């Protein structure tokens, strides 16, 4: 009998830390049960700092299949992935295709698989921001609709899928695989003491990341956020590891000088996983529009100002340490005052964010395909 194989799809930076623990759990459980897997990299992210560095530092084996799609408009990128992944599927049919999160690679590979009758498994299913202007929200809705097995990270996802009428038997609350990686890697990250490299003391600096179109695609909005951050940097130093897309826009909008002239605002290239985690864990406050960092700061109990009007991860606000502040200077400043005055929720443990989500996933998948 031919060995059954499961495809694991990753394409963009936030996928890699979700893939790593699942590969490890597969290695432990699948080998003895005669199952195999294949890592499929779409190539959506390709810069070493957005891609290779995560494979190396998280011990992810090199991809078995590389689609090499690169950047493009949403339509172009999604179509390229769909076409190239389908070609691989026609050569070798896996028993299931597992997709992670909400990036273009997620929806494109789900679509390619389902059209060939291959069951789709979605890790991080059910999350909804209810904001259809976000490309990720469209990816989430479409991927969930196509999925045969929906693996959910927080309670709101279960509610959303129930309301949408998804059959109960397809849905499992498994916890958060990104937190699996954090739990495993935190000691190594803390050892790095990355803050010293920039001359900071623990809890005496802020960390900023920005890449969402709603914050960086409009020069006025981006300028407004920078003004608040520059004011903050006069109080405590701010480190700003910028996504390549944000860097490009800073330069296009001629806003780079604002950052360069601000003495205590340090613009740096995207950071490797452990450095970013170390900086997050020791920051006084994190300002971000990243979904993953909202979750990570909640786990770490570090105050997080989420620079968005909504979140698909409401547990980070309800139980965690995140507050939605949009990109309105008054709200950002008020929240910063609260952090500085120690007037911030301490955060509580989030159910099933315990470092074992990937083990639960491997067990569910083994039953699903055998
Ligand atoms: C993607 C995801 C987003 C996720 C983010 C994390 C979608 C719709 N969006 O956004 O949900 O939060 O990844 O980083 O999938 N670029 C480089 N080098 C790279 C990759 C990208 O320079 O390795 C630049 C290119 O100019 C590219 C732009 O960044 O056009 C945007 O990249 P893309 O993958 O389309 O979306 P992200 O903004 O990275």
């Amino acid at each position: 009998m031919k060995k059954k194989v499961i495809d694991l799809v990753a394409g963009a930076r936030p996928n890699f830390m979700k893939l790593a623990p699942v590969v490890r759990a597969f290695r432990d459980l699948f080998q003895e049960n005669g199952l195999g897997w294949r890592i499929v990299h779409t190539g959506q992210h390709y810069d070493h700092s957005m891609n290779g560095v995560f494979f190396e530092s998280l011990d992810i084996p090199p991809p078995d299949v590389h689609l090499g799609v690169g950047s493009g408009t949403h339509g172009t990128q999604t179509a390229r992935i769909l076409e190239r992944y389908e070609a691989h599927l026609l050569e070798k049919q896996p028993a299931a295709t597992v997709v992670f999160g909400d990036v273009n690679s997620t929806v494109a590979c789900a679509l390619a698989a389902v059209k060939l009758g291959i069951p789709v498994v979605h890790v991080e299913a059910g999350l909804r921001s209810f904001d259809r202007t976000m490309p990720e929200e469209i990816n989430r809705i479409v991927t969930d609709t196509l999925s045969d097995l929906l693996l959910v990270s927080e309670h709101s996802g279960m509610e959303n899928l129930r309301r949408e009428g998804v059959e109960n038997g397809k849905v499992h609350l498994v916890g958060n695989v990104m937190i699996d990686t954090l739990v495993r890697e935190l000691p190594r990250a803390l050892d790095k003491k990355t803050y010293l490299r920039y001359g900071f003391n623990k809890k005496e600096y802020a960390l900023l990341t920005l890449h969402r179109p709603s914050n960086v695609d409009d020069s006025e909005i981006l300028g407004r956020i920078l003004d608040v951050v520059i004011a903050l940097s006069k109080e405590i130093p701010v480190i700003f590891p910028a996504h390549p897309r944000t860097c490009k826009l800073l330069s296009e909008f001629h806003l780079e000088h604002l950052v360069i002239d601000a003495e205590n605002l340090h613009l740096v290239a995207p950071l490797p996983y452990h450095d970013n985690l170390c900086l997050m864990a020791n920051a006084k406050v994190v300002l971000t529009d990243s979904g993953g960092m909202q979750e990570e700061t909640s786990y770490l109990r570090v105050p997080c100002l989420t620079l968005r009007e909504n979140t698909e991860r409401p547990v980070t606000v309800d139980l965690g340490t995140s507050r939605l502040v949009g990109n309105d200077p008054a709200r950002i400043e008020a929240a910063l005052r609260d952090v500085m005055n120690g007037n911030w929720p301490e955060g509580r443990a989030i159910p099933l964010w315990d470092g074992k989500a990937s083990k639960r996933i491997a067990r569910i998948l083994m039953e699903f395909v055998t």
Side-chain angles (χ1 to χ4, degrees):
M1 201 179 77
K2 267 205 326 216
K3 188 168 165 181
K4 276 190 183 162
V5 166
I6 293 180
D7 275 2
L8 294 167
V9 174
R13 181 171 59 177
N15 290 157
F16 306 138
M17 36 291 221
K18 296 171 191 167
L19 170 76
V22 175
V23 172
R24 211 167 289 117
F26 276 18
R27 207 184 279 145
D28 293 344
L29 192 69
F30 278 23
Q31 270 164 358
E32 62 196 52
N33 289 288
L35 291 172
W37 65 90
R38 202 166 66 150
I39 296 177
V40 179
H41 192 320
T42 65
Q44 177 174 346
H45 284 174
Y46 43 85
D47 283 357
H48 187 68
S49 64
M50 301 288 289
N51 166 44
V53 71
F54 293 91
F55 274 75
E56 287 157 19
S57 65
L58 298 175
D59 292 327
I60 308 172
D64 302 287
V65 173
H66 204 297
L67 306 179
V69 297
S71 298
T73 61
H74 284 266
T76 306
Q77 190 177 58
T78 309
R80 253 189 233 144
I81 300 169
L82 177 58
E83 191 177 10
R84 294 187 193 178
Y85 185 47
E86 182 187 57
H88 280 276
L89 292 176
L90 288 171
E91 262 175 37
K92 188 172 176 180
Q93 288 240 156
T97 288
V98 180
V99 294
F100 295 85
D102 56 14
V103 300
N104 287 342
S105 303
T106 311
V107 68
C109 290
L111 190 52
V114 79
K115 289 267 184 165
L116 292 174
I118 298 163
V120 173
V121 179
H122 187 200
V123 176
E124 215 181 75
L127 299 183
R128 298 286 182 270
S129 66
F130 304 102
D131 173 2
R132 289 199 180 206
T133 63
M134 270 182 96
E136 293 82 2
E137 182 72 355
I138 307 297
N139 294 344
R140 289 179 204 116
I141 294 168
V142 177
T143 306
D144 284 344
T145 305
L146 303 178
S147 294
D148 298 275
L149 196 53
L150 297 98
L151 306 177
V152 179
S153 56
E154 64 164 80
H155 185 71
S156 73
M158 302 297 282
E159 278 294 304
N160 294 332
L161 294 173
R162 190 190 51 75
R163 213 182 26 251
E164 290 172 16
V166 180
E167 221 176 285
N168 239 339
K170 289 182 169 182
V171 181
H172 300 262
L173 184 63
V174 293
N176 189 325
V177 281
M178 197 172 222
I179 299 301
D180 287 10
T181 297
L182 189 159
V183 168
R184 182 186 150 98
E185 305 296 335
L186 188 59
R188 195 172 141 202
L190 294 178
D191 275 352
K192 295 204 83 167
K193 299 189 169 51
T194 309
Y195 47 91
L196 294 179
R197 199 187 300 160
Y198 301 101
F200 306 152
N201 295 320
K202 279 187 186 178
K203 300 289 166 196
E204 289 181 9
Y205 64 91
L207 171 64
L208 166 72
T209 79
L210 279 177
H211 72 283
R212 297 258 163 232
S214 56
N215 284 330
V216 300
D217 282 7
D218 179 313
S219 63
E220 213 175 291
I221 294 175
L222 183 55
R224 222 162 56 200
I225 298 176
L226 285 179
D227 285 342
V228 183
V229 170
I230 290 163
L232 170 68
S233 74
K234 294 184 177 139
E235 231 171 300
I236 54 169
V238 180
I239 181 157
F240 179 18
H243 187 291
R245 151 188 180 75
T246 308
C247 281
K248 223 177 272 175
L249 289 161
L250 279 172
S251 143
E252 250 176 69
F253 298 152
H254 306 290
L255 291 170
E256 265 169 335
H257 68 279
L258 283 181
V259 180
I260 293 164
D261 292 348
E263 206 181 319
N264 281 324
L265 173 58
H266 305 266
L267 179 72
V268 298
L271 289 168
Y273 181 79
H274 294 87
D275 288 312
N276 194 56
L277 178 54
C278 179
L279 286 180
M280 238 186 320
N282 290 295
K284 173 87 178 167
V285 59
V286 172
L287 298 92
T288 189
D289 56 14
S290 147
M293 284 173 67
Q294 286 171 58
E295 297 185 332
E296 290 164 333
T297 47
S298 278
Y299 183 87
L300 295 164
R301 316 262 173 123
V302 170
C304 176
L305 273 54
T306 297
L307 303 167
R308 292 176 48 189
E309 292 298 342
N310 49 56
T311 178
E312 62 287 344
R313 296 161 158 90
V315 77
T316 61
V317 176
D318 299 338
L319 293 182
T321 51
S322 167
R323 187 193 294 179
L324 297 177
V325 294
N327 50 35
D328 167 31
R331 279 161 72 197
I332 303 174
E333 277 158 11
L336 284 170
R337 281 298 120 235
D338 283 343
V339 172
M340 295 303 174
N341 295 332
N343 180 19
W344 203 263
E346 274 180 15
R348 283 181 276 159
I350 298 175
L352 299 181
W353 290 23
D354 56 0
K356 296 177 187 150
S358 46
K359 288 204 164 76
R360 293 182 198 107
I361 289 176
R363 277 197 298 271
I364 292 170
L365 269 171
M366 206 180 67
E367 253 178 54
F368 184 69
V369 299
T370 51

